[in-house]
Amino acid sequence: MTSPLARFHPRLLDALRGYNRERLGKDVGSGLTVGIVALPLAMAFAIASGLKPEAGLWTAIIAGFIISALGGTTAQIGGPAGAFIVIVYGIVERYGVANLLISTACAGVLLFALGLFKLGTLVRYVPVSIVIGFTNGIAVLIALSQVKDLLGLEIAHMPGDFFSQIKAIAGHIHTLNFFALALGAVCVLGLFVWPKAFVQGSPLIRLLEGRTVRTFARVPGPIVALVTLSLLAWGLSLPVETLGTKFGNIPSGVPAFELPAFSWDTVRLLVTPTLTIALLGAVESLLCARVADQLASDPHHLKHDPNQELMAQGVANFVVAFFGGMPATGTIARTVTNIRSGATSPIAGIVHALVLAGVVLVAAPLALYIPLAVLAGILLFVAWNMGEWHEFVRLKQFSNHYRMLLLGTFFLTVVFDLTVAVEVGMLLACAFFIRRMSTLFHVDAVAEAEGALVYKLYGALFFGAVAKIDPIVQAVESRQQGTRVVLDASQLISLDASGLDALEQLFKAIVHRGGQLYIHDLNDQPRGLMERSGFAGRLKDFQTSAAAAL
């Protein structure tokens, strides 16, 4: 007998079978690379979310370690993600940091329950148009949230909603810092140029050949931008805001384990942010896992287990809340980097977390000199890569339903928030699906046979298509007494309670006029429903063939 609960079986246990020194070397190399890439992103995501940089760093360390150790994927990297920036900022703005921690812990419990009860596959039912819509909307909001630091504007407190942010930026544009703008612009330009500089045949490749090129090519662009531009700003004493001037010292020690102030009254107020964090975390992590499965070419890579992955995400989010962290999920950019660096098992993700921990514990004071404009430039680059902008160009190739879902979700995400966008998007998707399915059901009138009205039913007769039975009722009422009606149900593939009720109303109209209703050639599902409901027994003759009915 199959258990209703998923088995807790981390992918790490499978990956360690036959593990050897060669694979360990690849995983350590990948972990080092991803750890370096994650360093600026973790700080940038936390700052953009209205938190201190150490919140992002320790989320990447703790959640990243747990997700790799307990997850259901081979190469996925977990940690703070760009998609959460807008959500977390809104929660902090409205409820405060303490309630963010409670929401994160509760979302962790919900994610674990989704995985435990084998609901991981439900995430796949979210239409791709909605996913693209809210992803692009979040990318726009991330980019807008970084304009303040990119331009060096003197805004004491940045509001959380779209129009208020635009108003605040426009009202303080006179405080523009050209040094900050120059640093940010160079950062963005450098991040776009860096990977292209090492394409085969480029001028840099011709100038620097051999090992030198390979060494430079392995250095992640964000780290190059972070180090070079921070040194430039420090060496020239540029008047720009840095992590040190805004946040003071970054603690180099492990954060204390603290229980957030918890009460059921508070939890009831946090239902919406909790559901938002859980939904986005589930969608992002499982989408990331699917991308990893498509990109991975290593023979040791195993397809992800969605339920195990959600359980690991749940544990990570629950634990990280007790260390002052932020929501965590699977991260596409770092996962892709991990795969392309040669990762063969979750050991690479564990190494990435340990590398980050080592850097934070040893070199935290150096982060004080990082300009906020440089971090803004990195996040603008992340936002650009995060959005699937080509989908807007391709909209003309799709139906009006697809366009409305994508554009509607996009604009609702930007103007309101992700929760409203997904709720409205899913309602519209259901409405469009019902409408499309109703168009697939139709009734064809067949030429009269021996004085009987004969109709053939096609498709699924459900609540969205019952109106198409009305013409048969009208035809019966317009004829003389004693009319016989024959329904050929050989092409009726599905019937629900509303469809059955429509047939019963047709039956009553025919009986009221002294006629008879015959239904023949029923498929298993419609026949079973009619028999269980007793409708089959009320028919004078429950026929199985057209010949018998006529």
Side-chain angles (χ1 to χ4, degrees):
M1 181 177 178
T2 304
S3 171
L5 303 179
R7 183 176 63 137
F8 191 86
H9 184 79
R11 183 53 47 84
L12 180 63
L13 299 178
D14 299 321
L16 290 179
R17 294 172 187 163
Y19 200 71
N20 54 38
R21 183 177 298 179
E22 180 184 358
R23 291 179 63 189
L24 177 61
K26 291 181 179 180
D27 287 338
V28 170
S30 300
L32 286 169
T33 302
V34 180
I36 294 172
V37 171
L39 179 66
L41 295 178
M43 291 189 293
F45 291 154
I47 294 169
S49 302
L51 303 172
K52 293 183 178 180
E54 57 264 30
L57 290 170
W58 285 103
T59 298
I61 294 167
I62 298 171
F65 184 94
I66 293 173
I67 290 171
S68 292
L70 303 181
T73 63
T74 301
Q76 178 152 285
I77 301 296
F84 274 114
I85 289 176
V86 179
I87 305 302
V88 174
Y89 190 90
I91 295 174
V92 172
E93 177 84 5
R94 184 173 180 181
Y95 301 99
V97 175
N99 287 327
L100 168 67
L101 299 179
I102 295 175
S103 294
T104 302
C106 292
V109 174
L110 183 56
L111 282 167
F112 188 88
L114 288 175
L116 182 64
F117 289 100
K118 299 183 178 180
L119 299 178
T121 54
L122 290 181
V123 175
R124 296 185 179 181
Y125 294 145
V126 179
V128 66
S129 53
I130 292 178
V131 175
I132 294 172
F134 78 65
T135 301
N136 286 7
I138 289 173
V140 169
L141 291 174
I142 291 173
L144 180 63
S145 70
Q146 297 310 299
V147 172
K148 167 187 172 291
D149 290 332
L150 181 74
L151 303 180
L153 302 182
E154 298 178 5
I155 302 177
H157 178 72
M158 195 70 172
D161 63 282
F162 177 73
F163 293 110
S164 297
Q165 286 183 346
I166 292 178
K167 182 179 179 180
I169 291 170
H172 293 79
I173 196 66
H174 62 279
T175 64
L176 172 67
N177 185 326
F178 287 100
F179 294 104
L181 176 59
L183 283 175
V186 170
C187 177
V188 174
L189 180 62
L191 290 174
F192 277 104
V193 171
W194 182 254
K196 297 178 181 179
F198 296 97
V199 175
Q200 191 65 33
S202 67
L204 186 59
I205 289 291
R206 291 194 295 268
L207 179 64
L208 304 171
E209 296 183 355
R211 177 175 294 182
T212 305
V213 173
R214 291 195 297 271
T215 301
F216 274 101
R218 290 195 186 101
V219 181
I223 290 297
V224 175
L226 200 69
V227 173
T228 56
L229 294 177
S230 296
L231 287 173
L232 179 66
W234 174 75
L236 298 179
S237 299
L238 298 181
V240 294
E241 192 172 24
T242 65
L243 289 180
T245 59
K246 182 170 184 177
F247 298 103
N249 293 327
I250 297 178
S252 58
V254 179
F257 181 90
E258 295 183 12
L259 296 175
F262 181 87
S263 70
W264 285 112
D265 291 336
T266 304
V267 170
R268 284 199 295 269
L269 294 174
L270 299 175
V271 170
T272 298
T274 296
L275 291 175
T276 303
I277 292 173
L279 172 65
L280 185 57
V283 171
E284 282 289 309
S285 62
L286 296 186
L287 284 177
C288 180
R290 291 176 64 184
V291 170
D293 287 344
Q294 294 167 3
L295 292 178
S297 58
D298 187 271
H300 301 99
H301 185 91
L302 302 174
K303 296 293 183 182
H304 77 280
D305 177 350
N307 297 315
Q308 180 63 39
E309 185 61 25
L310 287 186
M311 286 191 283
Q313 298 283 343
V315 174
N317 279 279
F318 183 78
V319 172
V320 81
F322 294 98
F323 291 93
M326 59 187 293
T329 186
T331 58
I332 292 179
R334 277 159 277 173
T335 298
V336 171
T337 302
N338 192 38
I339 292 172
R340 290 177 177 171
S341 299
T344 70
S345 78
I347 294 294
I350 293 174
V351 171
H352 129 271
L354 297 177
V355 168
L356 266 177
V359 172
V360 172
L361 294 174
V362 174
L366 296 178
L368 302 179
Y369 302 100
I370 298 175
L372 295 183
V374 175
L375 291 178
I378 292 173
L379 280 183
L380 285 173
F381 182 72
V382 169
W384 174 258
N385 287 325
M386 178 180 173
E388 297 186 49
W389 313 112
H390 60 280
E391 291 296 331
F392 288 133
V393 179
R394 298 177 59 227
L395 279 177
K396 59 184 179 183
Q397 303 174 10
F398 296 97
S399 66
N400 288 332
H401 290 175
Y402 182 92
R403 296 173 197 165
M404 187 176 296
L405 278 179
L406 193 153
L407 293 176
T409 307
F410 171 76
F411 285 115
L412 286 172
T413 300
V414 172
V415 176
F416 294 100
D417 60 50
L418 176 65
T419 306
V420 173
V422 173
E423 288 174 351
V424 174
M426 290 300 293
L427 286 174
L428 286 176
C430 291
F432 291 152
F433 176 77
I434 293 169
R435 184 177 182 276
R436 182 175 292 268
M437 289 298 296
S438 67
T439 62
L440 298 179
F441 175 80
H442 59 98
V443 179
D444 286 353
V446 182
E448 289 190 29
E450 301 182 12
L453 294 176
V454 183
Y455 296 90
K456 192 164 186 176
L457 308 181
Y458 295 86
L461 180 54
F462 71 114
F463 64 91
V466 293
K468 295 185 179 181
I469 298 296
D470 292 345
I472 305 178
V473 178
Q474 294 168 3
V476 170
E477 293 175 345
S478 66
R479 294 176 65 89
Q480 61 184 3
Q481 294 284 331
T483 300
R484 288 186 301 152
V485 177
V486 179
L487 300 182
D488 179 354
S490 59
Q491 300 300 315
L492 180 67
I493 61 174
S494 180
L495 179 71
D496 73 351
S498 296
L500 178 63
D501 181 70
L503 292 179
E504 289 187 333
Q505 296 306 316
L506 172 63
F507 172 69
K508 290 177 181 178
I510 295 171
V511 171
H512 181 70
R513 299 185 64 82
Q516 298 177 16
L517 173 64
Y518 301 89
I519 303 176
H520 67 84
D521 292 339
L522 279 161
N523 291 302
D524 291 341
Q525 191 275 332
R527 174 182 290 277
L529 179 59
M530 288 184 184
E531 290 176 343
R532 290 193 306 274
S533 67
F535 178 61
R538 291 194 295 274
L539 292 176
K540 185 171 184 177
D541 192 359
F542 192 51
Q543 300 289 347
T544 58
S545 68
L550 296 174

